[in-house]
Amino acid sequence: MSKQEKITIDLPDAAAIGAEVATVSGGASTPTIRDDAERMAVSERIGQCKRVLKQINELFKGAKKAASDAHKAVCAAERKLSDPVDAWIRQAGQKVLAYDAEKDRMRRAEEARLQAEAEAKADAERRRLKAIAARCKDEEKKAAYEEAAQAVQVAVPHIAAPENKAAGEVRSVRWVAELTDITLLCKAAAAGDVNAIACLAFAQSSADQLARAFQRDAVVPGVRFTTKTIISHRG
């Protein structure tokens, strides 16, 4: 019998901080600022709210870490079982597709051989009928043989694909994108190609790091570095 492990996460007692939250947030919309005194009062309350928010974050920090560690442990246990299965599926799927591709190549090659054979037979029949028409003295018979030569058709061969799919197997075709030349992509995007632009990724966090590093504009073409005022409270 397998051993079942349990993961327990204790939530902190939030009763005390909950009462303070109700006090500082007011449970209503933010107040209207009509003069400097009200502006200062609101700013002081923002600072108080941020201090309470910091306390809330600290209160749940341990539980969040425990939950994160538990999630990692569960995912690791899942991957320990699923990774070998996923790997086998990928490898086996590739072999199935390779087998199907080879069978399809062989089928098309055989169809091409049969097609060439049918065309050769049809061409030989046309030549036979034309030769007979050329020897005919009777114009009516000659015209009939010539017409028959023109009417010779080539039977298009078709070899049915093998019925080798397992029950429940579904094969679909999906378009995917592959980056082959980033320089060409950037040039196309710069030229205004909307599809190329859609393929470009803008990483906000990375761009913000560059802005903080350079602290000036006109660094990256197409990207503006600017300042944003943020009110913060310490203490």
Side-chain angles (χ1 to χ4, degrees):
M1 183 175 180
S2 61
K3 181 181 178 181
Q4 187 176 24
E5 296 184 9
K6 292 184 179 181
I7 299 176
T8 303
I9 300 174
D10 296 324
L11 292 177
D13 185 359
I17 196 70
E20 191 168 357
V21 167
T23 300
V24 297
S25 65
S29 59
T30 55
T32 302
I33 300 176
R34 290 163 294 192
D35 53 38
D36 291 344
E38 288 181 345
R39 191 251 182 229
M40 184 178 295
V42 170
S43 180
E44 289 175 351
R45 191 165 175 179
I46 291 174
Q48 185 181 5
C49 285
K50 288 195 173 184
R51 287 190 292 273
V52 171
L53 189 61
K54 185 177 180 180
Q55 293 173 13
I56 294 172
N57 293 336
E58 286 296 323
L59 180 64
F60 284 89
K61 186 176 181 179
K64 287 165 68 177
K65 185 179 184 306
S68 177
D69 293 343
H71 181 264
K72 291 177 182 177
V74 171
C75 289
E78 179 187 28
R79 287 195 302 271
K80 185 177 180 180
L81 296 174
S82 64
D83 282 358
V85 179
D86 285 337
W88 191 93
I89 290 173
R90 286 194 300 272
Q91 294 172 6
Q94 290 172 357
K95 290 183 178 180
V96 167
L97 291 175
Y99 175 85
D100 287 349
E102 177 61 17
K103 291 287 288 187
D104 187 58
R105 184 197 66 78
M106 294 172 61
R107 182 174 61 83
R108 286 185 283 107
E110 180 62 11
E111 285 182 344
R113 186 189 69 79
L114 294 175
Q115 179 78 27
E117 186 178 279
E119 288 178 352
K121 288 180 179 179
D123 189 54
E125 178 64 10
R126 291 190 197 99
R127 289 197 303 270
R128 188 186 71 83
L129 293 171
K130 287 180 180 180
I132 295 174
R135 294 194 300 268
C136 281
K137 302 300 182 180
D138 188 304
E139 291 298 325
E140 186 175 345
K141 289 184 178 181
K142 181 177 182 178
Y145 277 113
E146 289 178 346
E147 184 178 349
Q150 293 178 358
V152 173
Q153 298 293 323
V154 178
V156 179
H158 175 71
I159 300 176
E163 295 291 337
N164 57 4
K165 289 182 173 61
E169 178 183 339
V170 177
R171 181 165 183 161
S172 58
V173 177
R174 180 177 58 179
W175 284 88
V176 297
E178 294 181 355
L179 180 62
T180 58
D181 193 322
I182 186 64
T183 302
L184 290 179
L185 176 63
C186 291
K187 286 181 179 179
D193 187 325
V194 293
N195 294 323
I197 293 172
C199 290
L200 293 176
F202 182 82
Q204 187 68 58
S205 60
S206 298
D208 288 345
Q209 289 178 3
L210 284 175
R212 288 193 294 269
F214 285 97
Q215 296 186 1
R216 61 182 175 84
D217 196 17
V219 175
V220 180
V223 179
R224 183 169 71 97
F225 290 166
T226 185
T227 57
K228 181 180 179 180
T229 303
I230 302 173
I231 297 177
S232 60
H233 295 77
R234 300 177 181 177

